[in-house]
Amino acid sequence: MAREPFIIGEPGFTLVELLFTLAILAIALSIAAPSFSELLHNQRASAATQDLRNALDFARESAAHSGQPISIAAAGDDWASGWEVFADSGNSGVRAPQQLPLAAHGPLSGISIRTDSTSRRYLHFTPRGNAIQPNGAFHSGTLTLCGAGSTSYHIVFNKAGRIRTESGNTEDYCPR
């Protein structure tokens, strides 16, 4: 068996070339990692905002379609701990134990929610789609979703029950 002679210029990488390429890749990843982390934090806040906004829309639409008053209540008086949507003819914001929720959401990870004084526990929608307070007065307010990223969100509802979402700087929306 004859051995083939070593040919100069054989395809492949030298150890030096491989180490140089890995060093450049490591530098590029160290630059990209912080912005990727920021992207994940902002995406988490955006997804949480959409989840809560969808639940509020569902509660309002359910009230209008079913002809029954519907409430959406924070779990344990903290919106970031989750929420439930349920029929609430007495505008108490408390679901009866035997009554099944129409929808529910679990806790939000890495998000805090700040409320105005009238929206801490629950929001109540009439069959006309209006938001009202426990005393029957119209209800308008803001829920502010604060995350670890640079973007946070307001969910604003007016006296007609219409809901809109606004995004802004976390430093402005959620001062520490």
Side-chain angles (χ1 to χ4, degrees):
M1 228 175 185
R3 196 169 176 178
E4 291 188 28
F6 180 73
I7 301 172
I8 296 180
E10 192 172 313
F13 299 106
T14 66
L15 183 59
V16 173
E17 290 171 329
L18 184 60
L19 290 176
F20 184 73
T21 304
L22 287 175
I24 290 175
L25 183 62
I27 292 169
L29 285 176
S30 69
I31 293 170
S35 62
F36 183 69
S37 175
E38 179 72 16
L39 174 71
L40 288 177
H41 290 306
N42 288 338
Q43 183 58 33
R44 184 175 288 140
S46 176
T49 301
Q50 281 303 86
D51 287 348
L52 183 52
R53 166 73 191 264
N54 290 341
L56 291 166
D57 285 335
F58 174 73
R60 183 174 185 235
E61 290 167 9
S62 295
H65 290 301
S66 69
Q68 292 182 312
I70 302 288
S71 287
I72 178 169
D77 293 339
D78 178 16
W79 288 97
S81 296
W83 53 83
E84 292 183 329
V85 178
F86 54 92
D88 185 10
S89 58
N91 190 5
S92 65
V94 178
R95 181 177 59 82
Q98 70 278 10
Q99 180 187 18
L100 294 176
L102 301 173
H105 194 286
L108 300 172
S109 174
I111 303 293
S112 66
I113 300 178
R114 300 177 183 184
T115 66
D116 56 47
S117 61
T118 60
S119 307
R120 283 199 178 106
R121 289 187 34 237
Y122 75 102
L123 303 172
H124 185 78
F125 294 97
T126 68
R128 294 181 59 183
N130 298 350
I132 62 170
Q133 296 181 34
N135 64 5
F138 78 85
H139 188 177
S140 61
T142 302
L143 301 173
T144 303
L145 286 86
C146 304
S150 62
T151 304
S152 290
Y153 297 88
H154 284 319
I155 298 176
V156 182
F157 51 97
N158 66 17
K159 66 181 181 180
R162 279 179 280 189
I163 303 163
R164 74 177 190 277
T165 305
E166 301 172 350
S167 63
N169 227 344
T170 298
E171 293 172 2
D172 297 335
Y173 280 17
C174 308
R176 307 226 183 253

